[in-house]
Amino acid sequence: MAVLVRPADWQKEQESIRAIREAVFVQEQKVPADLEWDNLEESSQHFLVFNEGVAVGTGRLCKNGKVGRMAIKQSARGLGIGAQLLNSICDFAKQRGLLNIYLHAQQHAQGFYTRGGFSPEGEIFYEAGIPHIKMVRQLN
C-alpha cells in the first residue's frame, strides 16, 4: 500500500479537501455545511492523504496550534492512514516551532488520539451536536 501524506495548498487543492470533508462530515455525520466551512480555511495549513494515488484523507493545522477537520473516507478506514496523517501534522507543527498542539476530538475517537500522544483536558462539550473533548499534546 503506497500511502502519501503531504501539506496541501488550499487555493489549488480545495476541491479534493472539500470532497473528503463533505463525504465524512456533512453526509456521513450530518454536520450542517455552514458549520463545516469557516473563516480559517485560507489561513490554515491543510494536509492531504493519498492511498495508491487517490485522495482519501485530509486535516488541517490552524496558526494557533489547533489540529482539526481530520477526515478519512470510509473506504480507507482501518488501514492506519489516520495515524499517519496525525503524525505528519504533529511533525509539521514541531518543525514550525510549536511546543504543543490541541484538538477537539469527537468523543468516540478519544482512544485514537490518546494513542497519538494526546491527553484529554476538561469536560465533554458539544460541537455540531456531537460530543467532543479537548485534547492536548506536548511536542518537545
Side-chain angles (χ1 to χ4, degrees):
M1 173 175 62
V3 174
L4 169 69
V5 181
R6 65 164 175 75
D9 182 323
W10 172 255
Q11 295 301 324
K12 296 177 183 173
E13 298 176 293
Q14 66 177 288
E15 188 175 317
S16 295
I17 295 166
R18 283 183 178 275
I20 294 164
R21 286 170 46 186
E22 180 80 23
V24 173
F25 295 124
V26 178
Q27 293 173 10
E28 192 180 320
Q29 297 183 358
K30 309 297 184 213
V31 172
D34 63 326
L35 294 179
E36 178 55 28
W37 311 108
D38 61 24
N39 62 356
L40 298 175
E41 303 299 355
E42 291 193 18
S43 64
S44 296
Q45 176 59 63
H46 293 266
F47 297 82
L48 278 169
V49 184
F50 296 87
N51 185 17
E52 303 296 338
V54 177
V56 297
T58 188
R60 75 180 187 189
L61 177 66
C62 298
K63 291 186 182 297
N64 67 354
K66 182 181 182 186
V67 177
R69 303 306 202 263
M70 281 197 40
I72 304 295
K73 284 186 174 178
Q74 199 167 28
S75 61
R77 292 183 197 148
L79 304 174
I81 291 173
Q84 290 179 54
L85 172 59
L86 185 61
N87 287 336
S88 292
I89 293 172
C90 291
D91 289 346
F92 183 92
K94 188 173 183 177
Q95 290 169 4
R96 294 305 180 275
L98 293 174
L99 301 177
N100 55 64
I101 56 178
Y102 73 100
L103 51 82
H104 293 170
Q106 291 185 7
Q107 190 176 16
H108 71 84
Q110 184 174 343
F112 167 79
Y113 291 108
T114 298
R115 288 188 297 280
F118 287 79
S119 300
E121 184 177 274
E123 302 295 321
I124 300 293
F125 59 94
Y126 286 80
E127 286 183 349
I130 301 169
H132 285 72
I133 186 154
K134 181 178 181 181
M135 299 187 77
V136 297
R137 177 177 167 181
Q138 303 302 314
L139 294 175
N140 46 8

